Amino acid sequence: MSRLFAAALTVVLAAALAVGAAFGIVALLEATPDQPNTPMITYEQAGQGS
């Protein structure tokens, strides 16, 4: 009986761990990274160049 209980407990804990990992991955994927508002390329405009 204790083997059956240990097996059932292992299955329940594994399922809970899988659900927790899935929620964690979804939370990480939905997190928006900080994006600086700096252009990668700048162009000189007429009258401002050297």
Side-chain angles (χ1 to χ4, degrees):
M1 186 66 171
S2 63
R3 278 185 143 181
L4 183 61
F5 178 71
L9 185 63
T10 302
V11 169
V12 169
L13 289 176
L17 181 63
V19 169
F23 277 115
I25 290 171
V26 169
L28 284 175
L29 289 175
E30 289 183 355
T32 55
D34 293 334
Q35 296 179 352
N37 193 13
T38 55
M40 293 178 68
I41 300 174
T42 57
Y43 297 99
E44 292 184 11
Q45 295 185 1
Q48 291 183 354
S50 52

mmCIF file of all heavy atoms in Angstrom:
data_model
loop_
_atom_site.group_PDB
_atom_site.id
_atom_site.type_symbol
_atom_site.label_atom_id
_atom_site.label_comp_id
_atom_site.label_asym_id
_atom_site.label_seq_id
_atom_site.Cartn_x
_atom_site.Cartn_y
_atom_site.Cartn_z
ATOM 1 N N MET A 1 0.837 -1.200 0.000
ATOM 2 C CA MET A 1 0.000 0.000 0.000
ATOM 3 C C MET A 1 0.875 1.255 0.000
ATOM 4 O O MET A 1 0.516 2.246 -0.616
ATOM 5 C CB MET A 1 -0.921 -0.030 1.223
ATOM 6 C CG MET A 1 -1.924 1.068 1.246
ATOM 7 S SD MET A 1 -3.097 0.884 -0.099
ATOM 8 C CE MET A 1 -4.274 2.102 0.309
ATOM 9 N N SER A 2 1.991 1.221 0.693
ATOM 10 C CA SER A 2 2.828 2.412 0.744
ATOM 11 C C SER A 2 3.480 2.699 -0.612
ATOM 12 O O SER A 2 3.742 3.848 -0.944
ATOM 13 C CB SER A 2 3.897 2.266 1.820
ATOM 14 O OG SER A 2 4.761 1.194 1.502
ATOM 15 N N ARG A 3 3.748 1.630 -1.411
ATOM 16 C CA ARG A 3 4.298 1.852 -2.754
ATOM 17 C C ARG A 3 3.287 2.558 -3.637
ATOM 18 O O ARG A 3 3.645 3.433 -4.423
ATOM 19 C CB ARG A 3 4.670 0.520 -3.397
ATOM 20 C CG ARG A 3 5.992 -0.005 -2.965
ATOM 21 C CD ARG A 3 6.294 -1.242 -3.743
ATOM 22 N NE ARG A 3 7.709 -1.296 -4.041
ATOM 23 C CZ ARG A 3 8.282 -2.237 -4.728
ATOM 24 N NH1 ARG A 3 7.543 -3.223 -5.205
ATOM 25 N NH2 ARG A 3 9.564 -2.226 -4.930
ATOM 26 N N LEU A 4 2.042 2.153 -3.546
ATOM 27 C CA LEU A 4 0.988 2.786 -4.340
ATOM 28 C C LEU A 4 0.813 4.245 -3.931
ATOM 29 O O LEU A 4 0.667 5.128 -4.787
ATOM 30 C CB LEU A 4 -0.326 2.020 -4.167
ATOM 31 C CG LEU A 4 -1.505 2.523 -4.996
ATOM 32 C CD1 LEU A 4 -1.200 2.416 -6.479
ATOM 33 C CD2 LEU A 4 -2.758 1.736 -4.650
ATOM 34 N N PHE A 5 0.861 4.498 -2.640
ATOM 35 C CA PHE A 5 0.749 5.876 -2.150
ATOM 36 C C PHE A 5 1.930 6.719 -2.617
ATOM 37 O O PHE A 5 1.768 7.862 -3.042
ATOM 38 C CB PHE A 5 0.670 5.889 -0.620
ATOM 39 C CG PHE A 5 0.594 7.264 -0.043
ATOM 40 C CD1 PHE A 5 -0.545 8.033 -0.184
ATOM 41 C CD2 PHE A 5 1.688 7.804 0.644
ATOM 42 C CE1 PHE A 5 -0.613 9.313 0.348
ATOM 43 C CE2 PHE A 5 1.629 9.078 1.170
ATOM 44 C CZ PHE A 5 0.478 9.845 1.026
ATOM 45 N N ALA A 6 3.131 6.166 -2.575
ATOM 46 C CA ALA A 6 4.325 6.892 -3.027
ATOM 47 C C ALA A 6 4.247 7.180 -4.522
ATOM 48 O O ALA A 6 4.609 8.270 -4.980
ATOM 49 C CB ALA A 6 5.569 6.089 -2.698
ATOM 50 N N ALA A 7 3.755 6.218 -5.280
ATOM 51 C CA ALA A 7 3.627 6.425 -6.731
ATOM 52 C C ALA A 7 2.586 7.506 -7.025
ATOM 53 O O ALA A 7 2.810 8.379 -7.881
ATOM 54 C CB ALA A 7 3.245 5.118 -7.408
ATOM 55 N N ALA A 8 1.469 7.469 -6.335
ATOM 56 C CA ALA A 8 0.430 8.472 -6.554
ATOM 57 C C ALA A 8 0.914 9.857 -6.146
ATOM 58 O O ALA A 8 0.654 10.854 -6.841
ATOM 59 C CB ALA A 8 -0.827 8.099 -5.766
ATOM 60 N N LEU A 9 1.634 9.928 -5.037
ATOM 61 C CA LEU A 9 2.172 11.202 -4.577
ATOM 62 C C LEU A 9 3.193 11.749 -5.574
ATOM 63 O O LEU A 9 3.212 12.957 -5.864
ATOM 64 C CB LEU A 9 2.804 11.040 -3.197
ATOM 65 C CG LEU A 9 3.307 12.316 -2.528
ATOM 66 C CD1 LEU A 9 2.150 13.269 -2.278
ATOM 67 C CD2 LEU A 9 4.014 11.980 -1.232
ATOM 68 N N THR A 10 4.001 10.870 -6.133
ATOM 69 C CA THR A 10 4.985 11.290 -7.138
ATOM 70 C C THR A 10 4.296 11.835 -8.376
ATOM 71 O O THR A 10 4.710 12.855 -8.945
ATOM 72 C CB THR A 10 5.889 10.099 -7.516
ATOM 73 O OG1 THR A 10 6.529 9.618 -6.341
ATOM 74 C CG2 THR A 10 6.930 10.516 -8.521
ATOM 75 N N VAL A 11 3.240 11.173 -8.814
ATOM 76 C CA VAL A 11 2.488 11.640 -9.993
ATOM 77 C C VAL A 11 1.870 13.001 -9.724
ATOM 78 O O VAL A 11 1.924 13.904 -10.572
ATOM 79 C CB VAL A 11 1.416 10.606 -10.387
ATOM 80 C CG1 VAL A 11 0.465 11.177 -11.411
ATOM 81 C CG2 VAL A 11 2.072 9.341 -10.909
ATOM 82 N N VAL A 12 1.293 13.178 -8.563
ATOM 83 C CA VAL A 12 0.663 14.455 -8.234
ATOM 84 C C VAL A 12 1.704 15.573 -8.160
ATOM 85 O O VAL A 12 1.488 16.671 -8.693
ATOM 86 C CB VAL A 12 -0.123 14.339 -6.905
ATOM 87 C CG1 VAL A 12 -0.565 15.703 -6.417
ATOM 88 C CG2 VAL A 12 -1.325 13.424 -7.091
ATOM 89 N N LEU A 13 2.830 15.298 -7.536
ATOM 90 C CA LEU A 13 3.872 16.319 -7.441
ATOM 91 C C LEU A 13 4.470 16.651 -8.808
ATOM 92 O O LEU A 13 4.751 17.816 -9.103
ATOM 93 C CB LEU A 13 4.972 15.861 -6.478
ATOM 94 C CG LEU A 13 4.591 15.850 -5.005
ATOM 95 C CD1 LEU A 13 5.728 15.286 -4.163
ATOM 96 C CD2 LEU A 13 4.214 17.235 -4.535
ATOM 97 N N ALA A 14 4.641 15.652 -9.655
ATOM 98 C CA ALA A 14 5.162 15.898 -10.999
ATOM 99 C C ALA A 14 4.185 16.738 -11.814
ATOM 100 O O ALA A 14 4.593 17.645 -12.557
ATOM 101 C CB ALA A 14 5.449 14.581 -11.698
ATOM 102 N N ALA A 15 2.904 16.456 -11.690
ATOM 103 C CA ALA A 15 1.903 17.229 -12.407
ATOM 104 C C ALA A 15 1.878 18.670 -11.906
ATOM 105 O O ALA A 15 1.787 19.615 -12.703
ATOM 106 C CB ALA A 15 0.526 16.590 -12.239
ATOM 107 N N ALA A 16 1.985 18.858 -10.603
ATOM 108 C CA ALA A 16 1.996 20.217 -10.056
ATOM 109 C C ALA A 16 3.234 20.979 -10.509
ATOM 110 O O ALA A 16 3.156 22.173 -10.849
ATOM 111 C CB ALA A 16 1.944 20.162 -8.526
ATOM 112 N N LEU A 17 4.361 20.303 -10.562
ATOM 113 C CA LEU A 17 5.586 20.945 -11.038
ATOM 114 C C LEU A 17 5.465 21.321 -12.515
ATOM 115 O O LEU A 17 5.894 22.404 -12.926
ATOM 116 C CB LEU A 17 6.772 19.998 -10.820
ATOM 117 C CG LEU A 17 8.138 20.532 -11.235
ATOM 118 C CD1 LEU A 17 8.497 21.760 -10.396
ATOM 119 C CD2 LEU A 17 9.199 19.455 -11.067
ATOM 120 N N ALA A 18 4.873 20.451 -13.310
ATOM 121 C CA ALA A 18 4.699 20.742 -14.738
ATOM 122 C C ALA A 18 3.771 21.935 -14.948
ATOM 123 O O ALA A 18 4.035 22.805 -15.786
ATOM 124 C CB ALA A 18 4.148 19.514 -15.456
ATOM 125 N N VAL A 19 2.696 22.000 -14.184
ATOM 126 C CA VAL A 19 1.767 23.128 -14.305
ATOM 127 C C VAL A 19 2.445 24.420 -13.869
ATOM 128 O O VAL A 19 2.316 25.461 -14.517
ATOM 129 C CB VAL A 19 0.484 22.863 -13.484
ATOM 130 C CG1 VAL A 19 -0.371 24.119 -13.380
ATOM 131 C CG2 VAL A 19 -0.301 21.730 -14.112
ATOM 132 N N GLY A 20 3.195 24.373 -12.792
ATOM 133 C CA GLY A 20 3.912 25.557 -12.328
ATOM 134 C C GLY A 20 4.939 26.033 -13.336
ATOM 135 O O GLY A 20 5.081 27.237 -13.584
ATOM 136 N N ALA A 21 5.665 25.097 -13.940
ATOM 137 C CA ALA A 21 6.652 25.469 -14.961
ATOM 138 C C ALA A 21 5.964 26.069 -16.172
ATOM 139 O O ALA A 21 6.459 27.043 -16.760
ATOM 140 C CB ALA A 21 7.463 24.246 -15.357
ATOM 141 N N ALA A 22 4.834 25.530 -16.562
ATOM 142 C CA ALA A 22 4.098 26.066 -17.710
ATOM 143 C C ALA A 22 3.637 27.496 -17.437
ATOM 144 O O ALA A 22 3.775 28.372 -18.296
ATOM 145 C CB ALA A 22 2.900 25.174 -18.031
ATOM 146 N N PHE A 23 3.095 27.737 -16.254
ATOM 147 C CA PHE A 23 2.672 29.103 -15.915
ATOM 148 C C PHE A 23 3.863 30.052 -15.864
ATOM 149 O O PHE A 23 3.771 31.202 -16.277
ATOM 150 C CB PHE A 23 1.921 29.125 -14.574
ATOM 151 C CG PHE A 23 0.465 28.775 -14.700
ATOM 152 C CD1 PHE A 23 -0.034 27.631 -14.109
ATOM 153 C CD2 PHE A 23 -0.403 29.591 -15.409
ATOM 154 C CE1 PHE A 23 -1.367 27.299 -14.219
ATOM 155 C CE2 PHE A 23 -1.748 29.283 -15.532
ATOM 156 C CZ PHE A 23 -2.235 28.119 -14.933
ATOM 157 N N GLY A 24 4.994 29.582 -15.362
ATOM 158 C CA GLY A 24 6.188 30.418 -15.316
ATOM 159 C C GLY A 24 6.691 30.775 -16.706
ATOM 160 O O GLY A 24 7.083 31.918 -16.966
ATOM 161 N N ILE A 25 6.683 29.813 -17.607
ATOM 162 C CA ILE A 25 7.131 30.071 -18.981
ATOM 163 C C ILE A 25 6.198 31.054 -19.664
ATOM 164 O O ILE A 25 6.642 31.973 -20.360
ATOM 165 C CB ILE A 25 7.232 28.744 -19.761
ATOM 166 C CG1 ILE A 25 8.403 27.926 -19.235
ATOM 167 C CG2 ILE A 25 7.385 28.993 -21.250
ATOM 168 C CD1 ILE A 25 8.465 26.518 -19.771
ATOM 169 N N VAL A 26 4.907 30.889 -19.486
ATOM 170 C CA VAL A 26 3.941 31.819 -20.091
ATOM 171 C C VAL A 26 4.133 33.220 -19.526
ATOM 172 O O VAL A 26 4.091 34.211 -20.259
ATOM 173 C CB VAL A 26 2.495 31.322 -19.865
ATOM 174 C CG1 VAL A 26 1.481 32.392 -20.230
ATOM 175 C CG2 VAL A 26 2.253 30.062 -20.671
ATOM 176 N N ALA A 27 4.383 33.327 -18.233
ATOM 177 C CA ALA A 27 4.607 34.643 -17.616
ATOM 178 C C ALA A 27 5.865 35.298 -18.178
ATOM 179 O O ALA A 27 5.890 36.510 -18.417
ATOM 180 C CB ALA A 27 4.700 34.511 -16.100
ATOM 181 N N LEU A 28 6.908 34.513 -18.394
ATOM 182 C CA LEU A 28 8.139 35.068 -18.960
ATOM 183 C C LEU A 28 7.940 35.515 -20.399
ATOM 184 O O LEU A 28 8.490 36.532 -20.831
ATOM 185 C CB LEU A 28 9.269 34.036 -18.895
ATOM 186 C CG LEU A 28 9.896 33.820 -17.532
ATOM 187 C CD1 LEU A 28 10.916 32.688 -17.617
ATOM 188 C CD2 LEU A 28 10.556 35.084 -17.035
ATOM 189 N N LEU A 29 7.171 34.762 -21.168
ATOM 190 C CA LEU A 29 6.954 35.111 -22.574
ATOM 191 C C LEU A 29 6.079 36.352 -22.721
ATOM 192 O O LEU A 29 6.204 37.083 -23.701
ATOM 193 C CB LEU A 29 6.316 33.935 -23.320
ATOM 194 C CG LEU A 29 7.227 32.740 -23.557
ATOM 195 C CD1 LEU A 29 6.443 31.602 -24.197
ATOM 196 C CD2 LEU A 29 8.405 33.124 -24.429
ATOM 197 N N GLU A 30 5.187 36.582 -21.772
ATOM 198 C CA GLU A 30 4.305 37.741 -21.862
ATOM 199 C C GLU A 30 4.926 39.001 -21.274
ATOM 200 O O GLU A 30 4.381 40.083 -21.415
ATOM 201 C CB GLU A 30 2.972 37.445 -21.171
ATOM 202 C CG GLU A 30 2.123 36.453 -21.940
ATOM 203 C CD GLU A 30 0.778 36.213 -21.297
ATOM 204 O OE1 GLU A 30 0.538 36.748 -20.198
ATOM 205 O OE2 GLU A 30 -0.021 35.486 -21.890
ATOM 206 N N ALA A 31 6.056 38.872 -20.611
ATOM 207 C CA ALA A 31 6.716 40.045 -20.032
ATOM 208 C C ALA A 31 7.302 40.895 -21.159
ATOM 209 O O ALA A 31 7.951 40.384 -22.064
ATOM 210 C CB ALA A 31 7.825 39.605 -19.085
ATOM 211 N N THR A 32 7.043 42.179 -21.118
ATOM 212 C CA THR A 32 7.566 43.062 -22.148
ATOM 213 C C THR A 32 8.910 43.618 -21.696
ATOM 214 O O THR A 32 9.030 44.159 -20.602
ATOM 215 C CB THR A 32 6.592 44.238 -22.410
ATOM 216 O OG1 THR A 32 6.339 44.899 -21.187
ATOM 217 C CG2 THR A 32 5.274 43.729 -22.987
ATOM 218 N N PRO A 33 9.915 43.480 -22.527
ATOM 219 C CA PRO A 33 11.230 43.994 -22.145
ATOM 220 C C PRO A 33 11.279 45.517 -22.229
ATOM 221 O O PRO A 33 10.499 46.136 -22.964
ATOM 222 C CB PRO A 33 12.171 43.366 -23.177
ATOM 223 C CG PRO A 33 11.300 43.115 -24.356
ATOM 224 C CD PRO A 33 9.932 42.830 -23.825
ATOM 225 N N ASP A 34 12.191 46.115 -21.483
ATOM 226 C CA ASP A 34 12.382 47.560 -21.558
ATOM 227 C C ASP A 34 13.070 47.882 -22.873
ATOM 228 O O ASP A 34 14.169 47.401 -23.147
ATOM 229 C CB ASP A 34 13.244 48.052 -20.398
ATOM 230 C CG ASP A 34 12.535 47.893 -19.073
ATOM 231 O OD1 ASP A 34 11.291 47.883 -19.083
ATOM 232 O OD2 ASP A 34 13.216 47.788 -18.046
ATOM 233 N N GLN A 35 12.399 48.684 -23.673
ATOM 234 C CA GLN A 35 12.953 49.031 -24.977
ATOM 235 C C GLN A 35 13.297 50.510 -24.981
ATOM 236 O O GLN A 35 12.412 51.361 -24.893
ATOM 237 C CB GLN A 35 11.952 48.727 -26.082
ATOM 238 C CG GLN A 35 11.652 47.254 -26.191
ATOM 239 C CD GLN A 35 10.642 46.954 -27.276
ATOM 240 O OE1 GLN A 35 10.068 47.859 -27.840
ATOM 241 N NE2 GLN A 35 10.416 45.695 -27.545
ATOM 242 N N PRO A 36 14.580 50.834 -25.060
ATOM 243 C CA PRO A 36 14.952 52.249 -25.096
ATOM 244 C C PRO A 36 14.494 52.891 -26.397
ATOM 245 O O PRO A 36 14.447 52.241 -27.442
ATOM 246 C CB PRO A 36 16.478 52.217 -24.998
ATOM 247 C CG PRO A 36 16.855 50.875 -25.513
ATOM 248 C CD PRO A 36 15.732 49.949 -25.156
ATOM 249 N N ASN A 37 14.128 54.140 -26.301
ATOM 250 C CA ASN A 37 13.624 54.855 -27.465
ATOM 251 C C ASN A 37 14.779 55.605 -28.135
ATOM 252 O O ASN A 37 14.736 56.813 -28.308
ATOM 253 C CB ASN A 37 12.518 55.821 -27.034
ATOM 254 C CG ASN A 37 11.750 56.347 -28.229
ATOM 255 O OD1 ASN A 37 11.875 55.817 -29.321
ATOM 256 N ND2 ASN A 37 10.981 57.389 -28.011
ATOM 257 N N THR A 38 15.819 54.891 -28.494
ATOM 258 C CA THR A 38 16.953 55.507 -29.167
ATOM 259 C C THR A 38 17.071 54.910 -30.556
ATOM 260 O O THR A 38 17.076 53.683 -30.717
ATOM 261 C CB THR A 38 18.269 55.258 -28.395
ATOM 262 O OG1 THR A 38 18.423 53.852 -28.221
ATOM 263 C CG2 THR A 38 18.224 55.918 -27.033
ATOM 264 N N PRO A 39 17.163 55.752 -31.564
ATOM 265 C CA PRO A 39 17.263 55.218 -32.929
ATOM 266 C C PRO A 39 18.614 54.567 -33.165
ATOM 267 O O PRO A 39 19.637 54.989 -32.621
ATOM 268 C CB PRO A 39 17.079 56.461 -33.797
ATOM 269 C CG PRO A 39 17.475 57.591 -32.934
ATOM 270 C CD PRO A 39 17.129 57.201 -31.530
ATOM 271 N N MET A 40 18.615 53.518 -33.990
ATOM 272 C CA MET A 40 19.871 52.839 -34.307
ATOM 273 C C MET A 40 20.658 53.616 -35.366
ATOM 274 O O MET A 40 21.873 53.562 -35.402
ATOM 275 C CB MET A 40 19.580 51.426 -34.808
ATOM 276 C CG MET A 40 18.994 50.538 -33.726
ATOM 277 S SD MET A 40 18.600 48.890 -34.324
ATOM 278 C CE MET A 40 20.223 48.255 -34.641
ATOM 279 N N ILE A 41 19.932 54.333 -36.217
ATOM 280 C CA ILE A 41 20.581 55.097 -37.290
ATOM 281 C C ILE A 41 20.086 56.528 -37.214
ATOM 282 O O ILE A 41 18.888 56.774 -37.077
ATOM 283 C CB ILE A 41 20.232 54.508 -38.672
ATOM 284 C CG1 ILE A 41 20.710 53.067 -38.758
ATOM 285 C CG2 ILE A 41 20.847 55.342 -39.776
ATOM 286 C CD1 ILE A 41 20.281 52.357 -40.011
ATOM 287 N N THR A 42 20.995 57.465 -37.270
ATOM 288 C CA THR A 42 20.602 58.875 -37.315
ATOM 289 C C THR A 42 21.161 59.495 -38.590
ATOM 290 O O THR A 42 22.252 59.138 -39.042
ATOM 291 C CB THR A 42 21.157 59.643 -36.096
ATOM 292 O OG1 THR A 42 22.569 59.501 -36.056
ATOM 293 C CG2 THR A 42 20.553 59.118 -34.801
ATOM 294 N N TYR A 43 20.407 60.373 -39.151
ATOM 295 C CA TYR A 43 20.806 61.050 -40.380
ATOM 296 C C TYR A 43 21.002 62.524 -40.083
ATOM 297 O O TYR A 43 20.231 63.112 -39.323
ATOM 298 C CB TYR A 43 19.738 60.893 -41.459
ATOM 299 C CG TYR A 43 19.519 59.461 -41.885
ATOM 300 C CD1 TYR A 43 18.458 58.709 -41.382
ATOM 301 C CD2 TYR A 43 20.390 58.847 -42.780
ATOM 302 C CE1 TYR A 43 18.267 57.398 -41.773
ATOM 303 C CE2 TYR A 43 20.209 57.544 -43.171
ATOM 304 C CZ TYR A 43 19.136 56.825 -42.666
ATOM 305 O OH TYR A 43 18.961 55.528 -43.054
ATOM 306 N N GLU A 44 22.008 63.098 -40.669
ATOM 307 C CA GLU A 44 22.226 64.539 -40.523
ATOM 308 C C GLU A 44 21.216 65.265 -41.412
ATOM 309 O O GLU A 44 20.991 64.894 -42.543
ATOM 310 C CB GLU A 44 23.641 64.927 -40.943
ATOM 311 C CG GLU A 44 24.711 64.390 -40.005
ATOM 312 C CD GLU A 44 26.091 64.878 -40.410
ATOM 313 O OE1 GLU A 44 26.175 65.767 -41.262
ATOM 314 O OE2 GLU A 44 27.065 64.323 -39.871
ATOM 315 N N GLN A 45 20.630 66.314 -40.853
ATOM 316 C CA GLN A 45 19.689 67.097 -41.638
ATOM 317 C C GLN A 45 20.419 68.306 -42.210
ATOM 318 O O GLN A 45 21.452 68.751 -41.684
ATOM 319 C CB GLN A 45 18.520 67.528 -40.772
ATOM 320 C CG GLN A 45 17.690 66.327 -40.300
ATOM 321 C CD GLN A 45 16.454 66.740 -39.546
ATOM 322 O OE1 GLN A 45 16.199 67.923 -39.389
ATOM 323 N NE2 GLN A 45 15.709 65.780 -39.072
ATOM 324 N N ALA A 46 19.879 68.862 -43.267
ATOM 325 C CA ALA A 46 20.507 70.000 -43.953
ATOM 326 C C ALA A 46 20.639 71.176 -42.987
ATOM 327 O O ALA A 46 19.699 71.522 -42.278
ATOM 328 C CB ALA A 46 19.679 70.411 -45.161
ATOM 329 N N GLY A 47 21.819 71.773 -42.942
ATOM 330 C CA GLY A 47 22.056 72.950 -42.093
ATOM 331 C C GLY A 47 22.534 72.589 -40.705
ATOM 332 O O GLY A 47 22.884 73.466 -39.936
ATOM 333 N N GLN A 48 22.576 71.320 -40.343
ATOM 334 C CA GLN A 48 23.005 70.932 -38.998
ATOM 335 C C GLN A 48 24.364 70.239 -39.002
ATOM 336 O O GLN A 48 24.937 70.025 -37.964
ATOM 337 C CB GLN A 48 21.983 70.013 -38.349
ATOM 338 C CG GLN A 48 20.685 70.710 -38.002
ATOM 339 C CD GLN A 48 19.726 69.761 -37.286
ATOM 340 O OE1 GLN A 48 19.987 68.582 -37.160
ATOM 341 N NE2 GLN A 48 18.612 70.297 -36.817
ATOM 342 N N GLY A 49 24.854 69.866 -40.171
ATOM 343 C CA GLY A 49 26.111 69.132 -40.248
ATOM 344 C C GLY A 49 27.305 70.046 -40.079
ATOM 345 O O GLY A 49 27.221 71.263 -40.012
ATOM 346 N N SER A 50 28.494 69.448 -39.979
ATOM 347 C CA SER A 50 29.699 70.232 -39.817
ATOM 348 C C SER A 50 30.309 70.587 -41.155
ATOM 349 O O SER A 50 30.056 69.989 -42.142
ATOM 350 C CB SER A 50 30.735 69.475 -38.992
ATOM 351 O OG SER A 50 30.938 68.194 -39.521
#
